[in-house]
Amino acid sequence: MPIPKLAPRTKKIVRGVGTVLLIGVTVAANVAVAKFGKTLNSWVSTDYVDVSDTEYNARMAQDEKLAEEEETEGAVLLQNKDNVLPFSKDVDKVNVFGWSSTQWVASGSGSGQVAGKTKGLLDALVDYGISYNEELTDMYKRYASARPRSANGSLNSFADDYCQLVEPSIQNRSWYTKGMLDNAKSYSDAAIVVISRVAGESIDCPGTQSKVSNTGYVTKDTNRSYLELSTQELDLVTYVGANYDKVVVLVNSTNAMELGPIESIPGVDACLLVGCTGSCGAEAIPKLLWGDVNPSGRTSDTYAYDLASAASYPNSGTWGIGTYTNSKGSYPADGTLNGNVGTISAYDGVSYYDYQEGIYVGYRWYETADEEGFWDGVDNEYGTGYDGVVQYPFGYGLSYTDFSWEVVDASIEDGDTISEDSQISVTVRVTNTGQNAGKDVVELYYTAPYYTGGIQKSSVELAAFAKTKLLVPGESQDVTLTFSARDMASYDCYDANKDGFKGYELDAGTYTISLRHDAHTPDETEGSTISVELPRTAELTTDATTGATVENRFTGDAAEDGVSIDGSNAGYPLTWLDRASFTATYPKKTANRSMNTAVMEKNLYHAEDAEAAIESTDATVKYGASGTKALGSDGSLTELGYALGLDYGNPQWESLLNQMSQAEQEDLVLHGYSNTADVASIGKPQTKEVDGPSQVGSFNQLKYGTGFSNGTVLAQTWNTELAGRIGEALGAEAAYIGVDGIYAPSANLHRSAFGGRNYEYLSEDPLLTGKMAAAEVKAIKNTGTYCFVKHLICNDQDTMRDGLYEWMTEQTLRELYLEPFRILVEEGGATGMMSSYNRIGAVWAGGSKALLTGVLRNEWGFKGAVITDYADHHTYMNADQMLRAGGDLYMDGIMRDGAFVYETTSATFQQDLRRAAKDVLYVWLNARAQNLQYNETAEKTFVRPIKHAGIPIISIAVGALDAAILTGAVAGGWRKLKRKHKGQESMIETPSE
């Protein structure tokens, strides 16, 4: 049927409408380019790097091997009854049970995830040459083809929807047919059972279980948490244990779980904790199971039979969060939409957590409670007292071989007197006395004197650790563990010992140093436990590294942000867990309470707050001075850039900064999402920054690198040298794909096993976290890549994280949550930090002057930039507040709409802006300069390939569209003019003769 012709008038209307639409699209495109063109160009990333395909492929292949090595050292052998593992080479076929075997967890969800194709257990078995029962596997795939809401991710899901369990019942003969089960027994007498859990950003693990069937029907078990085995899993493990000769359970989880049944169910022989294996770490698992590699990992958390026995449990998760009763109208209960779960619903309240457990987190709680007899009444199927509470202590792990320890040297002897300046070292000779090659971990702990009613102290704390090289049978290695007496100090924020001093102190008395195989098990070798005396209390007024004064900044009337973080001057009489009476002070979920006026006044930052920050003595700032100072040229640093990168205090900074206009400084500071702006006046190129802690470019990027195992697995290696090599790999890969900086690592703690982002974080212990992360950061910087370490501070839970109030003692804040970041700055040389969503007390962490200026810069001597986390809501995560508190870089988001909305004319504002611009420049320059300096002396150098600025393809495309429309408009106008002229000629009459 022929298409009917349009009438001339209709054609004209269609053309007119089309023209209007085209013009509208063009205008929108031009606005978009003007507004966030730099972000889009950064994402498209047409920059090109001087790296050949051969070099790139070799780098990636090398790092995939390293990722596998990380998993071999980070997997923890939890159980090995009758030495069932390693499997003999005769075992060449296995049955793999558990639906999760077909939906292997490579990473958690959110910005710390692993992107791209990943290998799971089944892939690894095939690659290793082991056959698995495909009849079982095919059934699991038919039952459900994907994890619930895996396509949405945790950022766009509620916890109960994302954390749903899938497992067909072993008793359901529609799925586990009799023939299938009989065939499986005939196939192999060896069975692997996979138990998986996955969580992620913006949610925490639920306190109940939601289970979904293959038809989508959801049932809820309110008697079990998400981190317990479900009834279906218990039935499955029980069945497999009863019907197979060799049974191994693999725990493939983002979070620590309750694993008591693995120990108590008959027939379960072994259990291997493998964590999340990234792109290719799963390849290590068969090598571990068949003994090519000996497991050498140690737990980085305490594994309790009942996770509710943790002192933090009552005030964690969705069940432990409080809501202010009078918060309607305060942020975020002011109409703000809750974007953290991808819904359009508004927040219905303002939330808070009370860290009532104080310093007693993880093993600090379990070991101290044991010391005080808190577990004496426990008597259950697992044991009595502590043995019935803790299944696997912090630092625990088995091996396929045996080791002996001998103390061959120590800087102290039993009964010695020490001072606060004493350096303590112990050298241990580790000998492989078994039949297989392996690595061992040596752990050194201290016990400080505790006085009832005095400063809160854990009964044991990790002081130092070391991992051996691979030792063949009969081989020995001497490892030396060193720490300072100052490292044993406690922070007395209340003058609990009544000596008139508030700060870090070493109480007079007996300090015991002990070598241990885990936090609970002292070594029995002669000289492995040493007691020394400190004759007088030592008051440590300054930081040992910087010499800066250390004092209360968050407590009582000394609180620099106005409200004490323990709530003591805000009408909150909170009770903190006290070792003097654990029973009487044991935490309980606080009843919802009203918000005090002083707290309410700090709910958001206002114009009067900015005005109050003005200092009349601040000098005016010079802008736009003529000059030719430049930092870089075509991807390389100039001599000036190199000099400034090595010296934050170089006087040439002043003349360089004088060349910048205020608009350039604001553009640099206000728009920090995935890139920082180019600055033409000083020759600074646009730089690119991406997530994440386990993979360069893990989140919303077109290019990404090797996905390593998650942060917890890294910590479980207890190997700082390996952490350094992984850091080198991340930094090098960043350089190869055109990335200048990464948002990594993540140094928050596992305050609770239920934390949604625990997979990103390393451990419950600040020392282990700090040392491992510092080694990683130092190595990343050696490649010329910089880091923004996440999240300063206390992003330990994600439930209602946006605007979340967190209350704790300053001792808790300093000894636990700040300590990894201090190590990162003072030992790792970290130059970038990322602030967190939550508040510290009443004030947003990214706007806390006490935190960003008082502690970070003044006490620790931090030189560099603090970037905010993604600013969903600019009224709360406020750029004006950030700048005046000591922050530097505003992650305003893809819309690139960050702005200073309060006064910008005072010398104080302009000095803060100048400082922030300098900090942002220094982060980039310092990393690049450090790489050049590192290569001068390093045995193994890394020559960073040059990145050349690419074509701004988005801008060019829009420009081409503009040109086409303009050309069309001109051509159309010319045609119209010609037609009009021609018509006029035809109307002219020829004169008569």
Side-chain angles (χ1 to χ4, degrees):
M1 181 177 178
I3 300 174
K5 293 183 177 180
L6 297 177
R9 180 176 176 80
T10 303
K11 285 184 179 179
K12 188 173 183 180
I13 292 172
V14 169
R15 282 198 298 269
V17 171
T19 301
V20 170
L21 287 174
L22 185 58
I23 291 173
V25 169
T26 304
V27 170
N30 278 273
V31 170
V33 167
K35 196 170 183 63
F36 48 90
K38 290 184 178 180
T39 302
L40 291 175
N41 282 323
S42 174
W43 181 71
V44 173
S45 190
T46 57
D47 295 340
Y48 60 99
V49 182
D50 289 340
V51 172
S52 68
D53 289 344
T54 300
E55 290 172 315
Y56 176 85
N57 292 333
R59 175 84 241 182
M60 295 302 164
Q62 172 185 319
D63 292 346
E64 286 178 3
K65 291 294 184 185
L66 180 62
E68 184 180 321
E69 182 183 350
E70 177 192 17
E71 182 63 32
T72 63
E73 291 212 22
V76 183
L77 183 62
L78 298 176
Q79 177 174 305
N80 194 20
K81 296 178 180 177
D82 299 324
N83 294 321
V84 162
L85 291 179
F87 287 142
S88 71
K89 298 299 182 181
D90 294 337
V91 179
D92 58 0
K93 296 190 295 184
V94 293
N95 292 288
V96 182
F97 286 91
W99 176 83
S100 288
S101 63
T102 64
Q103 293 294 317
W104 187 258
V105 178
S107 72
S109 181
S111 58
Q113 67 189 24
V114 167
K117 186 178 179 181
T118 61
K119 287 191 173 184
L121 173 66
L122 300 179
D123 304 307
L125 289 172
V126 171
D127 291 345
Y128 188 71
I130 300 297
S131 300
Y132 61 85
N133 186 340
E134 294 187 32
E135 186 180 14
L136 270 176
T137 300
D138 289 344
M139 179 272 288
Y140 290 135
K141 291 178 179 178
R142 292 195 308 273
Y143 187 81
S145 60
R147 289 189 179 276
R149 298 190 67 82
S150 57
N152 305 76
S154 60
L155 279 164
N156 298 299
S157 304
F158 288 106
D160 284 341
D161 296 330
Y162 186 76
C163 298
Q164 290 183 346
L165 300 178
V166 181
E167 194 68 66
S169 171
I170 189 69
Q171 298 161 357
N172 187 333
R173 291 295 168 262
S174 296
W175 294 101
Y176 285 103
T177 65
K178 184 178 184 303
M180 178 187 295
L181 294 177
D182 289 342
N183 292 342
K185 290 180 185 179
S186 300
Y187 185 81
S188 174
D189 66 353
I192 297 172
V193 183
V194 176
I195 303 293
S196 295
R197 294 293 185 273
V198 61
E201 186 174 357
S202 89
I203 62 172
D204 290 319
C205 297
T208 58
Q209 287 185 357
S210 294
K211 299 183 284 189
V212 60
S213 71
N214 64 302
T215 61
Y217 181 71
V218 177
T219 58
K220 181 160 284 192
D221 186 342
T222 59
N223 296 316
R224 287 180 172 82
S225 80
Y226 179 63
L227 299 179
E228 295 177 59
L229 271 62
S230 68
T231 53
Q232 288 81 1
E233 289 169 330
L234 288 169
D235 288 345
L236 177 63
V237 173
T238 300
Y239 171 84
V240 174
N243 286 276
Y244 289 85
D245 181 52
K246 294 176 281 289
V247 177
V248 178
V249 173
L250 299 182
V251 182
N252 167 222
S253 176
T254 54
N255 296 67
M257 295 181 63
E258 293 183 16
L259 299 175
I262 304 302
E263 174 185 323
S264 61
I265 291 176
V268 178
D269 301 301
C271 181
L272 188 67
L273 181 66
V274 300
C276 306
T277 54
S279 298
C280 51
E283 295 280 17
I285 296 174
K287 296 176 183 179
L288 289 161
L289 296 178
W290 271 265
D292 296 359
V293 184
N294 194 338
S296 61
R298 302 291 185 268
T299 54
S300 64
D301 295 299
T302 305
Y303 278 70
Y305 290 109
D306 181 359
L307 293 175
S309 63
S312 62
Y313 180 85
N315 293 284
S316 59
T318 55
W319 57 90
I321 198 166
T323 302
Y324 289 111
T325 57
N326 61 337
S327 58
K328 208 68 175 176
S330 295
Y331 182 88
D334 56 358
T336 298
L337 299 181
N338 185 354
N340 281 339
V341 291
T343 68
I344 58 171
S345 61
Y347 284 94
D348 58 3
V350 178
S351 303
Y352 64 87
Y353 277 112
D354 296 331
Y355 284 37
Q356 291 181 37
E357 71 279 359
I359 67 166
Y360 300 108
V361 171
Y363 74 88
R364 284 168 166 78
W365 163 241
Y366 288 102
E367 301 303 323
T368 310
D370 184 46
E371 179 71 19
E372 297 298 327
F374 190 78
W375 310 121
D376 287 354
V378 173
D379 186 356
N380 57 35
E381 62 178 311
Y382 302 114
T384 59
Y386 178 94
D387 292 338
V389 176
V390 174
Q391 186 174 16
Y392 307 118
F394 171 81
Y396 170 90
L398 302 177
S399 172
Y400 297 153
T401 193
D402 298 308
F403 298 95
S404 67
W405 293 358
E406 178 189 0
V407 177
V408 295
D409 191 25
S411 64
I412 54 173
E413 294 183 357
D414 214 39
D416 277 359
T417 297
I418 62 169
S419 73
E420 63 268 30
D421 297 319
S422 295
Q423 294 296 310
I424 298 169
S425 65
V426 178
T427 300
V428 181
R429 179 162 297 156
V430 181
T431 302
N432 185 341
T433 59
Q435 302 301 312
N436 299 296
K439 296 185 177 185
D440 199 14
V441 175
V442 183
E443 304 169 33
L444 188 64
Y445 293 78
Y446 69 85
T447 298
Y450 167 71
Y451 302 100
T452 303
I455 307 171
Q456 297 301 316
K457 295 178 186 176
S458 171
S459 63
V460 293
E461 289 191 34
L462 183 66
F465 60 92
K467 192 165 194 175
T468 69
K469 66 179 183 178
L470 184 69
L471 300 174
V472 299
E475 186 178 10
S476 299
Q477 181 186 359
D478 291 353
V479 296
T480 300
L481 298 90
T482 303
F483 68 101
S484 168
R486 280 175 168 259
D487 296 335
M488 299 189 287
S490 301
Y491 193 82
D492 186 3
C493 57
Y494 300 125
D495 189 22
N497 64 0
K498 303 297 187 291
D499 64 352
F501 177 77
K502 296 177 181 178
Y504 281 105
E505 297 189 69
L506 288 161
D507 275 331
T510 302
Y511 288 77
T512 301
I513 317 301
S514 57
L515 290 166
R516 298 184 177 224
H517 297 277
D518 55 58
H520 190 68
T521 311
D523 185 65
E524 297 179 355
T525 305
E526 182 180 355
S528 61
T529 299
I530 304 171
S531 293
V532 294
E533 298 294 323
L534 181 70
R536 58 171 181 79
T537 295
E539 298 166 353
L540 309 180
T541 59
T542 60
D543 183 278
T545 300
T546 66
T549 299
V550 177
E551 58 191 354
N552 274 0
R553 299 184 185 275
F554 303 91
T555 304
D557 294 336
E560 295 174 3
D561 291 326
V563 176
S564 182
I565 63 168
D566 62 3
S568 58
N569 64 355
Y572 303 152
L574 299 174
T575 298
W576 311 107
L577 187 59
D578 187 347
R579 185 171 173 180
S581 181
F582 279 156
T583 301
T585 59
Y586 190 80
K588 54 181 178 291
K589 197 271 184 182
T590 309
N592 291 342
R593 57 177 179 257
S594 63
M595 186 185 292
N596 178 277
T597 301
V599 175
M600 195 171 290
E601 288 175 352
K602 299 285 184 183
N603 183 255
L604 292 175
Y605 193 77
H606 302 288
E608 52 266 32
D609 297 313
E611 296 285 346
I614 296 174
E615 296 285 349
S616 59
T617 57
D618 283 333
T620 56
V621 172
K622 190 172 185 179
Y623 290 115
S626 60
T628 58
K629 291 184 182 293
L631 299 175
S633 176
D634 193 26
S636 297
L637 291 188
T638 62
E639 288 186 11
L640 175 64
Y642 179 73
L644 297 184
L646 293 180
D647 185 4
Y648 185 86
N650 190 312
Q652 295 186 86
W653 273 107
E654 297 309 310
S655 53
L656 176 93
L657 293 169
N658 288 346
Q659 288 180 204
M660 296 180 70
S661 68
Q662 182 169 344
E664 284 179 320
Q665 291 184 4
E666 290 191 9
D667 190 44
L668 182 63
V669 169
L670 280 171
H671 311 302
Y673 174 64
S674 78
N675 69 99
T676 57
D678 57 311
V679 185
S681 68
I682 58 172
K684 186 237 178 235
Q686 182 176 353
T687 56
K688 183 179 179 70
E689 296 84 30
V690 300
D691 286 293
S694 294
Q695 180 188 47
V696 177
S698 63
F699 192 61
N700 294 337
Q701 295 297 315
L702 299 177
K703 296 179 182 178
Y704 43 80
T706 303
F708 288 87
S709 296
N710 66 303
T712 309
V713 172
L714 176 62
Q716 288 170 183
T717 69
W718 290 64
N719 188 336
T720 55
E721 184 273 336
L722 177 60
R725 285 194 284 128
I726 291 171
E728 189 272 338
L730 291 170
E733 288 190 7
Y736 276 32
I737 63 176
V739 168
D740 300 280
I742 55 178
Y743 304 138
S746 300
N748 299 108
L749 298 186
H750 296 166
R751 173 181 174 252
S752 161
F754 293 85
R757 299 184 79 170
N758 277 12
Y759 76 96
E760 289 186 52
Y761 308 154
L762 281 74
S763 171
E764 67 188 24
D765 181 69
L767 182 76
L768 180 60
T769 297
K771 294 289 187 179
M772 296 293 290
E776 196 173 13
V777 166
K778 185 180 293 186
I780 291 171
K781 280 184 60 185
N782 285 340
T783 68
T785 301
Y786 46 89
C787 302
F788 288 102
V789 181
K790 304 189 290 189
H791 308 86
L792 193 68
I793 190 73
C794 292
N795 194 151
D796 310 304
Q797 53 273 314
D798 269 45
T799 298
M800 298 297 181
R801 64 179 178 173
D802 197 354
L804 179 68
Y805 289 80
E806 294 180 355
W807 303 98
M808 67 196 73
T809 68
E810 187 163 348
Q811 179 186 12
T812 299
L813 176 65
R814 285 184 178 270
E815 289 189 20
L816 268 63
Y817 302 105
L818 285 176
E819 183 63 10
F821 292 87
R822 184 196 64 78
I823 295 171
L824 275 153
V825 172
E826 295 186 354
E827 298 181 20
T831 57
M833 294 286 170
M834 180 186 290
S835 60
S836 54
Y837 278 102
N838 55 274
R839 305 172 193 264
I840 298 300
V843 178
W844 168 46
S848 168
K849 191 167 186 176
L851 177 65
L852 303 188
T853 299
V855 173
L856 182 63
R857 298 186 190 279
N858 294 347
E859 291 186 14
W860 300 345
F862 175 77
K863 301 291 189 295
V866 181
I867 189 174
T868 70
D869 208 329
Y870 192 95
D872 299 275
H873 305 294
H874 294 188
T875 54
Y876 168 59
M877 298 173 76
N878 185 288
D880 295 88
Q881 183 182 12
M882 171 207 79
L883 185 73
R884 289 164 176 84
D888 304 285
L889 191 54
Y890 192 53
M891 195 187 293
D892 56 337
I894 191 171
M895 298 305 293
R896 204 175 164 79
D897 55 352
F900 295 118
V901 298
Y902 301 137
E903 74 86 15
T904 59
T905 59
S906 72
T908 298
F909 170 84
Q910 293 175 0
Q911 287 286 358
D912 284 338
L913 180 64
R914 182 183 178 92
R915 180 261 309 152
K918 176 183 178 181
D919 290 343
V920 174
L921 295 172
Y922 179 76
V923 171
W924 165 62
L925 290 173
N926 175 258
R928 296 295 300 278
Q930 183 167 318
N931 168 244
L932 296 173
Q933 189 180 60
Y934 170 78
N935 287 339
E936 292 176 1
T937 58
E939 184 177 324
K940 180 184 177 184
T941 62
F942 176 76
V943 179
R944 187 180 180 91
I946 294 175
K947 180 175 76 169
H948 304 277
I951 299 171
I953 189 169
I954 302 295
S955 302
I956 289 175
V958 173
L961 181 61
D962 290 345
I965 289 176
L966 180 60
T967 301
V970 170
W974 176 248
R975 285 194 300 269
K976 188 174 182 180
L977 182 63
K978 285 179 66 177
R979 284 197 301 269
K980 183 177 180 181
H981 182 67
K982 186 176 181 180
Q984 288 175 342
E985 286 182 341
S986 65
M987 293 175 65
I988 298 175
E989 295 183 6
T990 304
S992 58
E993 296 283 333

